[in-house]
Amino acid sequence: MLTVDYESKVQLLHGFSNKTRIQILECIKDDEKTVSQIVEAIQGNQSNISQHLACLKGCGIITGRQEGKYVYYGLRNQRVRDLLTMIDVVLVDVESDIATCENHIE
């Protein structure tokens, strides 16, 4: 049986709790991209995207690989890719409940 470290679990889930971070994860889900490619794909601000990439990297969700003057960002592994897919699957089941939920804590 796995021991649950709730603080680590919260930190991991924090990486998935922001629209921009989710957009970044979806953008690099199938292949690595540079910051410039991510900025262009999601129409974001480079400084903001860089901060979110640092968060995702710090949480261990993504990796960065230096090649020349560019850093290529990608998902850490197949399990992260599978988790993104599973989030989509669960969302289909609960989407109508989420839309009517009055108890969201921000």
Side-chain angles (χ1 to χ4, degrees):
M1 181 158 185
L2 292 174
T3 304
V4 176
D5 175 356
Y6 292 111
E7 291 302 318
S8 293
K9 190 180 263 189
V10 167
Q11 287 297 103
L12 172 67
L13 292 174
H14 176 74
F16 295 92
S17 69
N18 177 277
K19 180 182 176 181
T20 301
R21 288 194 292 274
I22 291 293
Q23 288 176 302
I24 291 169
L25 293 170
E26 290 295 335
C27 179
I28 63 174
K29 189 175 182 179
D30 295 322
D31 58 343
E32 296 178 319
K33 290 190 175 56
T34 65
V35 174
S36 299
Q37 291 170 318
I38 295 167
V39 166
E40 184 179 327
I42 69 173
Q43 299 295 297
N45 168 294
Q46 183 170 349
S47 175
N48 184 266
I49 301 282
S50 292
Q51 289 176 354
H52 286 294
L53 286 167
C55 173
L56 291 166
K57 194 171 178 190
C59 290
I61 297 169
I62 67 170
T63 60
R65 176 181 59 81
Q66 185 86 36
E67 188 174 299
K69 66 178 186 171
Y70 298 103
V71 176
Y72 288 85
Y73 293 94
L75 299 182
R76 179 186 189 101
N77 55 33
Q78 184 61 42
R79 286 184 175 165
V80 174
R81 189 172 289 104
D82 293 344
L83 181 56
L84 286 170
T85 300
M86 184 54 67
I87 290 169
D88 291 341
V89 169
V90 172
L91 182 59
V92 169
D93 290 341
V94 300
E95 197 164 18
S96 63
D97 294 325
I98 291 172
T100 59
C101 180
E102 296 177 9
N103 297 312
H104 285 292
I105 299 171
E106 306 248 351

